[in-house]
Amino acid sequence: MKLEIKHASCGYGKQNVVEDISIKLESGEILCLLGPNGVGKTTLFKTILGFLKLRKGKILLDGENVHGWSRRRLAKALGYVPQAHTPPFPFKVIDVVVMGRTAYLGIAGAPSLADLDIAEEALDILNVSFLKDRIYTEISGGERQMVLIARALAQQPEILVMDEPTSNLDFGNQIRVLEQINRLSQKGLGVIMTSHFPDHAFLCSTKVALMQRNNVFTVGSVDEVITEKNLKAAYGINVKITHTCNNKGEPIKTCIPLLAG
């Protein structure tokens, strides 16, 4: 599936937060959305997901304008992974994941055995089946994030939209989540994710959209977009991009902030 955002403008009330942005994402690609707070990353996500009305431009899925699509139809194409949250009730993990089947439920609204099988498969894909009968509010932050990803996978979408999937996670859990995102893209899933860390784009992205203030956008490959000059312009700090190798001996870049002496 191909997601195309063409000359999109979105915002709240009478104010546009994002204007004239164009992005493409195909199955198997990972697009990382970078930028400082307040430039409209979340606003853009809400518009893609249909939570906010698109003010100008088009959002296309496989060439079809999604304007007028029902929430149910959109949910079958786009899965959403929010930042980790705590629900008001102590649901079991399997119950949280089954909630991803909502778009497929009939009039009765009760999940079938097939829905339960799909939910269990989603947990299995992420190697967290051992959490199935645990209480969601009693597991760790990293485990909760995996459960939210499993819930989105249970929707059986073509594209995952992930809002800061590593937010509030320790370093180890950040890397584990990024590894799972890489695996999902290798299975053919398209992923669009936000992050506050340029290194995350080096670790798992095929494309980057760097959003700056005053509606300045730079979209392209990781090497084209994540440069010392662009990061200084976006975040207002000096950085050094250097090279190292991963555990396979493959070259990889990393971003080092240059702190004032």
Side-chain angles (χ1 to χ4, degrees):
M1 175 171 280
K2 178 188 289 187
L3 168 68
E4 293 181 86
I5 301 167
K6 291 189 172 184
H7 304 291
S9 295
C10 45
Y12 303 87
K14 296 181 179 180
Q15 182 179 2
N16 281 350
V17 178
V18 177
E19 292 185 355
D20 198 29
I21 188 169
S22 295
I23 298 173
K24 293 181 181 179
L25 176 75
E26 297 196 31
S27 297
E29 292 183 331
I30 301 173
L31 169 70
C32 187
L33 212 58
L34 293 173
N37 292 331
V39 295
K41 299 187 298 294
T42 299
T43 303
L44 178 60
F45 266 19
K46 288 181 177 179
T47 304
I48 293 170
L49 293 162
F51 301 147
L52 289 175
K53 184 177 180 180
L54 182 66
R55 302 166 74 95
K56 187 178 179 182
K58 296 179 180 179
I59 297 177
L60 309 175
L61 286 172
D62 279 346
E64 184 177 351
N65 195 329
V66 301
H67 177 71
W69 278 26
S70 67
R71 190 65 62 85
R72 175 172 291 195
R73 184 181 179 192
L74 203 56
K76 291 180 179 180
L78 301 176
Y80 177 47
V81 181
Q83 296 181 35
H85 75 299
T86 302
F89 302 106
F91 294 106
K92 283 187 176 182
V93 163
I94 187 62
D95 295 329
V96 173
V97 179
V98 168
M99 291 176 189
R101 299 299 299 162
T102 300
Y104 297 88
L105 299 184
I107 297 175
S112 65
L113 290 177
D115 292 320
L116 289 171
D117 286 343
I118 290 168
E120 290 185 4
E121 182 182 2
L123 288 168
D124 188 53
I125 288 172
L126 298 173
N127 299 315
V128 289
S129 294
F130 64 93
L131 297 173
K132 174 184 170 182
D133 294 316
R134 297 275 302 278
I135 301 300
Y136 177 82
T137 52
E138 297 176 0
I139 61 179
S140 71
E143 290 169 337
R144 287 187 194 179
Q145 198 62 34
M146 290 297 186
V147 172
L148 292 178
I149 296 172
R151 183 181 68 178
L153 290 180
Q155 290 177 227
Q156 298 182 312
E158 299 286 345
I159 293 173
L160 273 186
V161 179
M162 312 180 82
D163 190 4
E164 295 185 39
T166 61
S167 175
N168 301 317
L169 299 184
D170 63 41
F171 182 68
N173 280 320
Q174 286 184 31
I175 301 305
R176 292 182 189 99
V177 169
L178 293 175
E179 287 174 341
Q180 290 293 350
I181 292 171
N182 268 330
R183 292 190 186 104
L184 292 173
S185 73
Q186 291 165 7
K187 293 177 180 289
L189 202 63
V191 177
I192 176 170
M193 58 178 270
T194 57
S195 177
H196 283 299
F197 303 101
D199 277 347
H200 289 178
F202 287 136
L203 289 170
C204 70
S205 292
T206 51
K207 291 181 177 179
V208 174
L210 178 61
M211 303 177 67
Q212 302 179 45
R213 302 193 188 282
N214 300 315
N215 283 292
V216 176
F217 310 111
T218 308
V219 182
S221 70
V222 179
D223 290 337
E224 291 170 338
V225 177
I226 304 184
T227 66
E228 294 169 2
K229 179 180 178 181
N230 285 344
L231 293 178
K232 173 65 181 294
Y235 296 102
I237 60 171
N238 292 312
V239 301
K240 178 70 175 178
I241 294 177
T242 186
H243 298 74
T244 184
C245 293
N246 62 18
N247 57 6
K248 296 180 181 179
E250 301 165 337
I252 190 170
K253 292 183 178 180
T254 187
C255 180
I256 302 173
L258 301 179
L259 302 181

